[in-house]
Amino acid sequence: MLGGGIVPGAVVLLSGEPGVGKSTLLLDVAAKIAMFGVKVLYVTGEESAGQVRLRAERINALADSLLLAAETDLGSVLGMIEAEQPELLVVDSIQTLASSEVEGIPGGVTQVREVASALIREAKARSLPTVLVGHITKDGTIAGPRLLEHLVDVVCTFEGERHSRLRMLRAVKNRFGPTDDVGCFDMEENGIKSLEDPSGLFLSRSGANPPGTCLTVTQEGKRPLLVEVQSLITESAGGQSRRSVSGVDSSRVAMMLAVLSQNVSQANLAKSDVFTATVGGAKLSEPASDLAICMSLASALLGKPLARHLVAIGEVSLSGEIRNVPNLGQRLNEAKRLGITHAVVAKGAMTNVATPEKMKVDECEHIAGAVELMLTNGALREQK
């Protein structure tokens, strides 16, 4: 995520919602670096030293050269840096430190600006890599002045749903590396574990293959992820039909329902409740998932399951036309690696893309044709 390592003197700002695991991640990182004999100073202003040690014991993040200090005074922190001469500094969090030289409460604009400026000056003067933790506000922005994001070298966000084990690390700004990659982590009882293949979290483990299930490949930065979309359509009990979604954009699902109603004769959904969700807390926001949502809805409507090893990738326009999406070759290769044998894409999408070995790829121009294709070639029949 940082382009191969932490550059000496670089200041990294890590932001995220409360409870997402920022402290756990940085404590684990600090301990792993300290195990190589590097002196690391971890300053916490939110917890006591005993609380942090309990977490370190739980996630096995204890090391002789990992120094822990519970401090909220900037002058004391600067004195520790002078006395200990650490090779890595972690401050959790920037909003809890305060300087006695300026007025204002900790976390206020004046204090955050002064504390950040002092730590950045110290980092540059000593070539000391520094990681600062920053809280975010209700609207998702980093608390404190926006100037803070311009002063630091790297801005990373740590994201994840409270009810999901998956955590994602993204670089919003990086002077020394890329910003189009994403790091995936699994939040376990014993800490955070890096995930080389997070797609397994987004697929159901059941041996059954019910109607309304379709796979797609979404792109998170450079990393393709195989995600399962599930839909359920039932007769509305009241006078007004319901539309409920989880993990997908409600406006895109509404658009796909309108497209199906217009182009598929059996799709009369005016008096039906529609529920659409992803598995494992995955979020689908790009248009490449449109075709999978449509096929999931069509499968649920017809009451017939799609093939288990089928993936649908494509954007669907309001007219029902299926359009190509970027990085199709990379998406298909990821699907093939995970055992997918059949794919449905836009017509002409494979012109400059090599078909993966032992994978059948069907090109469809229109959503009505895709539904008809799935019905006629048996892909909607339950696989035994």
Side-chain angles (χ1 to χ4, degrees):
M1 286 303 303
L2 299 179
I6 303 178
V7 176
V11 180
V12 180
L13 177 63
L14 178 66
S15 66
E17 294 182 353
V20 75
K22 302 183 298 297
S23 300
T24 304
L25 173 66
L26 289 182
L27 186 59
D28 195 12
V29 170
K32 281 182 168 56
I33 294 176
M35 288 175 185
F36 290 95
V38 178
K39 184 180 285 189
V40 181
L41 176 59
Y42 189 104
V43 179
T44 175
E46 301 184 346
E47 300 174 283
S48 67
Q51 289 174 318
V52 178
R53 181 178 175 86
L54 286 175
R55 182 189 297 119
E57 292 175 346
R58 177 172 57 86
I59 66 175
N60 193 25
L62 294 173
D64 293 337
S65 58
L66 174 57
L67 308 179
L68 176 64
E71 186 57 64
T72 58
D73 180 66
L74 175 62
S76 299
V77 173
L78 296 178
M80 293 176 191
I81 296 175
E82 178 67 29
E84 298 294 341
Q85 299 290 318
E87 298 173 76
L88 174 65
L89 173 66
V90 179
V91 178
D92 184 11
S93 66
I94 188 69
Q95 282 90 0
T96 59
L97 290 186
S99 172
S100 58
E101 298 181 0
V102 297
E103 297 181 354
I105 62 173
V109 172
T110 305
Q111 285 288 357
V112 169
R113 182 185 290 112
E114 176 63 25
V115 170
S117 299
L119 292 176
I120 291 172
R121 284 195 303 268
E122 199 73 11
K124 302 302 181 184
R126 298 177 179 272
S127 294
L128 172 63
T130 302
V131 182
L132 308 176
V133 174
H135 295 305
I136 64 173
T137 58
K138 292 182 179 180
D139 58 357
T141 59
I142 300 174
R146 294 302 299 270
L147 176 67
L148 184 61
E149 299 180 42
H150 298 287
L151 291 175
V152 300
D153 301 302
V154 182
V155 179
C156 292
T157 60
F158 202 44
E159 307 169 356
E161 295 289 337
R162 289 183 177 270
H163 305 292
S164 172
R165 292 164 44 193
L166 180 70
R167 299 291 186 268
M168 290 189 177
L169 181 67
R170 306 175 191 270
V172 180
K173 168 189 174 182
N174 194 351
R175 289 175 179 166
F176 313 113
T179 58
D180 56 353
D181 204 351
V182 60
C184 296
F185 301 87
D186 187 8
M187 178 68 79
E188 300 178 334
E189 292 183 0
N190 297 325
I192 290 180
K193 182 178 70 173
S194 178
L195 286 177
E196 296 297 330
D197 185 10
S199 295
L201 294 177
F202 303 144
L203 304 178
S204 62
R205 306 285 181 169
S206 174
N209 187 29
T213 297
C214 186
L215 300 177
T216 189
V217 182
T218 185
Q219 198 87 15
E220 291 285 349
K222 292 182 178 179
R223 187 191 297 253
L225 298 176
L226 190 66
V227 178
E228 182 176 318
V229 184
Q230 295 183 343
S231 294
L232 174 65
I233 299 177
T234 62
E235 185 178 354
S236 178
Q240 186 175 3
S241 58
R242 295 178 58 194
R243 303 288 188 263
S244 180
V245 301
S246 176
V248 292
D249 185 29
S250 58
S251 60
R252 298 208 71 86
V253 173
M255 288 169 55
M256 296 305 103
L257 287 171
V259 170
L260 280 177
S261 299
Q262 189 71 21
N263 295 281
V264 178
S265 58
Q266 303 98 317
N268 185 10
L269 303 171
K271 298 182 179 180
S272 300
D273 292 337
V274 180
F275 305 88
T276 303
T278 57
V279 173
K283 288 186 177 181
L284 293 178
S285 57
E286 61 171 348
S289 60
D290 287 353
L291 183 56
I293 294 174
C294 273
M295 297 308 300
S296 171
L297 291 168
S299 173
L301 178 67
L302 299 172
K304 298 181 180 179
L306 288 158
R308 179 175 297 278
H309 302 295
L310 169 73
V311 67
I313 306 171
E315 179 182 358
V316 178
S317 68
L318 290 178
S319 63
E321 177 190 3
I322 302 174
R323 298 174 178 174
N324 193 17
V325 297
N327 304 317
L328 181 61
Q330 187 179 5
R331 298 174 196 255
L332 290 177
N333 288 329
E334 174 69 8
K336 174 64 174 64
R337 186 180 69 83
L338 295 172
I340 302 301
T341 58
H342 190 183
V344 181
V345 300
K347 186 175 182 179
M350 302 300 296
T351 303
N352 298 316
V353 177
T355 303
E357 185 179 358
K358 297 182 180 180
M359 175 181 278
K360 180 183 179 183
V361 179
D362 286 315
E363 298 183 12
C364 295
E365 184 176 5
H366 198 272
I367 186 62
V371 174
E372 183 64 25
L373 173 68
M374 295 300 100
L375 287 170
T376 55
N377 69 4
L380 278 172
R381 300 172 190 165
E382 186 170 1
Q383 304 297 297
K384 298 182 179 179

